[in-house]
Amino acid sequence: MPQIELAGEMFDVDEDGFIQDPDRWNEEVAKSLAAGEGISEVTDEHWKVINYLRDYYLKFGIAPMVRRLCKETGCNLKRIYELFPSGPAKGACKLAGLPKPTGCV
Amino acid sequence: MLGVLELSYREKIGHWKHGGIVGVFGYGGGVIGRYSDVPEKFPDIAHFHTLRINMPASWFYTTEALRGLCDIWERHGSGLTNMHGSTGDIIFLGTSTPELEPTFAELTNMGFDLGGSGSVLRTPSCCVGPARCEWACYDTLKLTYDITMHYQDELHRPMFPYKFKFKMAGCPNDCVASIARADLSIIGTWRDKIQINHDAVREYAKKGKDIQSDVINNCPSKCMKWDGKTLHIEDSECNHCMHCINVMPKALRPGKDRGACLLIGAKAPIMEGALLSSVLVPFIKMEPPYTELYELVDKIWELWGEEGKNRERVGEYIQRIGLGNFLEMIEVEPIPEMVAHPRENPYIFFEEYFEDDDEEGTDE
């Protein structure tokens, strides 16, 4: 399994750069993942989305549907892509330390 | 690639890892990530991602376009393609993550865009239509292009509960199999009389076509007559199956008042069993700017998008909530054409209406 250094520590990641142990996530990890997803600075608006995803995942064990994410954070899909250019799944979920989305993608 | 296939043939097992999330900035789909599970053995295909490229309607190309695509893929990918994927896209088969953005940049410079993947509107596709078929009841190519452009956002950025597909067929022969492979199947039809060229019918008879047994007896609604000289069609009984037109293309044509039938809900077996699309709108005119169609589609997406469960196709959603409820919420009147047969069980729901002075009915 590949490893990368994030915020001074080594992390197991898969080929797509999703961290394998969601419990080891912290804000510094999110910040160091940001550049790879085309994000120069993690703003409060980014944190709102990341924290929502994280809370939802910890509560329900899955990522929320996109519509729900938009509704609850008040960011429409266009705004989400402005914040996370690679989108809610590849961008936001990765930064939030959630497992890789699966299915017929 | 051949090495790993050889290994798979010997071991009778696939050698691709589960899943893979890659893409290009700005889009949530279009690329299907794939990684080998034996990368040490076959390092050249450790990454082997697929790009879906939106094809031109009906797959008409100039050699210039194809040569351009080949040049791009030769520079950035494996050189293998699938012409075409079942949904219709041009498939670029196999490249690595760092090549994705450069490939995408060159494609867009050439005027090509990615197709759809994931929980999005997938790439719409259509039959050859009026470009080369005398039976096309509307311009399938124009509508396909129009839908593709109208719904670019829905195509590139997943926001549905699950995938959604459009397919456009010019007539009920359904040469894109829309009724089986599209959540919304748009099938050309007409509502006036089949056009008959009586001289051409007699010509078929003279040349040895047994019109009675090959045409009249095969008509599913038994609405045709042939007295040896003149063909008669009782158009009010015709169900537009296309058989007589298919058998005598020089003599019979679809009517002049043309449009399409909208059918909804087809899907493969997972989760609740395979479905064919069923009638939603028996006849609708299909002319730009397609306002009526888009308004209906928007209502369906609004409802299913809001209430559909995660990974629930629209066909399954309709089965779950019931066709009656679905129609009410998208503001379409129920009509007999929507069912093959009325229900045979008596478990019928009624809405409760309480009058203001009906004290028994309320708990207040």
Side-chain angles (χ1 to χ4, degrees):
Chain A
M1 176 143 314
Q3 287 204 324
I4 55 167
E5 189 182 326
L6 297 166
E9 285 186 61
M10 295 309 285
F11 280 80
D12 285 344
V13 292
D14 66 8
E15 298 87 344
D16 294 322
F18 282 78
I19 64 170
Q20 295 301 288
D21 183 357
D23 293 339
R24 289 186 58 207
W25 181 92
N26 60 47
E27 293 197 354
E28 292 307 312
V29 171
K31 280 184 199 163
S32 36
L33 282 165
E37 300 305 318
I39 299 161
S40 50
E41 195 199 337
V42 188
T43 64
D44 287 350
E45 219 176 345
H46 287 103
W47 286 122
K48 188 168 67 178
V49 174
I50 292 171
N51 289 331
Y52 173 74
L53 285 171
R54 202 84 212 136
D55 292 346
Y56 190 97
Y57 173 70
L58 292 176
K59 201 165 164 195
F60 299 105
I62 52 166
M65 285 165 72
V66 174
R67 223 166 228 267
R68 181 157 193 149
L69 170 72
C70 292
K71 209 187 271 178
E72 308 259 326
T73 58
C75 295
N76 62 27
L77 198 58
K78 188 164 172 287
R79 188 69 196 140
I80 298 271
Y81 275 88
E82 283 164 8
L83 294 168
F84 302 92
S86 44
K90 181 170 177 288
C93 283
K94 185 189 283 181
L95 261 62
L98 269 58
K100 176 152 75 184
T102 59
C104 183
V105 295
Chain B
M1 185 67 214
L2 287 173
V4 76
L5 278 182
E6 172 99 32
L7 188 67
S8 286
Y9 277 120
R10 287 185 197 290
E11 299 179 355
K12 302 193 188 329
I13 187 171
H15 276 291
W16 302 107
K17 276 196 200 173
H18 182 74
I21 289 279
V22 290
V24 296
F25 283 146
Y27 289 4
V31 186
I32 296 94
R34 205 52 92 213
Y35 300 97
S36 170
D37 73 354
V38 280
E40 4 16 86
K41 251 184 178 149
F42 304 103
D44 291 346
I45 55 159
H47 293 210
F48 206 71
H49 312 321
T50 292
L51 283 99
R52 290 190 182 151
I53 323 291
N54 201 325
M55 71 299 187
S58 299
W59 305 283
F60 283 105
Y61 294 99
T62 59
T63 63
E64 189 191 1
L66 288 173
R67 278 184 273 122
L69 289 169
C70 289
D71 288 345
I72 293 174
W73 196 226
E74 194 166 341
R75 280 196 290 277
H76 296 291
S78 69
L80 294 172
T81 66
N82 176 3
M83 298 296 267
H84 297 80
S86 333
T87 296
D89 304 89
I90 302 159
I91 306 289
F92 278 4
L93 208 54
T95 192
S96 62
T97 309
E99 294 290 350
L100 294 174
E101 291 285 356
T103 313
F104 179 56
E106 288 203 40
L107 281 168
T108 48
N109 276 340
M110 225 190 110
F112 280 90
D113 196 357
L114 294 184
S117 71
S119 294
V120 296
L121 166 62
R122 299 293 182 86
T123 312
S125 73
C126 65
C127 69
V128 74
R132 287 189 66 102
C133 178
E134 63 269 51
W135 300 329
C137 293
Y138 69 98
D139 192 337
T140 53
L141 297 87
K142 186 179 266 181
L143 178 61
T144 300
Y145 182 73
D146 207 90
I147 288 178
T148 308
M149 299 311 279
H150 189 83
Y151 290 123
Q152 278 288 294
D153 259 4
E154 286 79 0
L155 201 157
H156 293 305
R157 297 178 165 181
M159 62 165 123
F160 293 155
Y162 206 4
K163 64 184 101 170
F164 191 98
K165 300 183 181 183
F166 280 97
K167 280 190 170 54
M168 278 47 84
C171 81
N173 283 327
D174 198 7
C175 295
V176 277
S178 71
I179 201 166
R181 291 177 180 186
D183 296 83
L184 195 73
S185 321
I186 304 182
I187 301 182
T189 187
W190 63 95
R191 56 181 172 185
D192 55 348
K193 291 173 179 300
I194 291 179
Q195 304 181 60
I196 307 176
N197 178 338
H198 290 283
D199 289 340
V201 177
R202 286 188 276 271
E203 187 67 21
Y204 272 110
K206 207 161 74 185
K207 286 192 172 158
K209 174 85 64 199
D210 186 339
I211 293 185
Q212 186 63 41
S213 72
D214 291 351
V215 182
I216 310 298
N217 294 354
N218 285 334
C219 174
S221 57
K222 303 283 176 241
C223 68
M224 304 179 79
K225 271 190 197 142
W226 168 245
D227 61 8
K229 286 196 190 105
T230 308
L231 184 72
H232 175 75
I233 302 175
E234 182 48 53
D235 285 274
S236 63
E237 296 291 320
C238 167
N239 68 6
H240 303 182
C241 80
M242 293 296 292
H243 178 75
C244 58
I245 299 175
N246 289 342
V247 176
M248 301 192 291
K250 289 178 183 165
L252 303 179
R253 290 182 165 237
K256 289 178 179 163
D257 185 10
R258 298 175 177 190
C261 176
L262 305 182
L263 303 96
I264 193 164
K267 55 176 278 293
I270 292 171
M271 299 289 295
E272 303 285 333
L275 291 173
L276 296 177
S277 287
S278 47
V279 172
L280 182 66
V281 179
F283 188 88
I284 177 173
K285 283 304 242 187
M286 270 302 155
E287 280 149 14
Y290 311 109
T291 315
E292 206 185 332
L293 172 69
Y294 291 150
E295 281 174 359
L296 184 63
V297 169
D298 290 342
K299 276 185 200 163
I300 293 168
W301 284 353
E302 186 58 39
L303 176 66
W304 168 65
E306 199 60 35
E307 309 212 338
K309 291 184 183 171
N310 196 14
R311 303 232 165 115
E312 180 176 51
R313 294 286 284 271
V314 74
E316 290 169 343
Y317 171 68
I318 295 171
Q319 283 194 323
R320 174 161 66 85
I321 66 160
L323 181 62
N325 290 325
F326 177 73
L327 293 174
E328 191 177 336
M329 287 188 273
I330 60 166
E331 298 170 303
V332 171
E333 283 296 312
I335 49 168
E337 284 92 331
M338 291 171 177
V339 293
H341 192 277
R343 71 193 304 151
E344 289 173 321
N345 70 56
Y347 301 109
I348 300 169
F349 271 95
F350 293 94
E351 277 184 45
E352 287 185 68
Y353 291 106
F354 297 117
E355 301 293 333
D356 284 343
D357 56 353
D358 180 3
E359 287 176 9
E360 283 181 22
T362 60
D363 295 333
E364 288 168 8

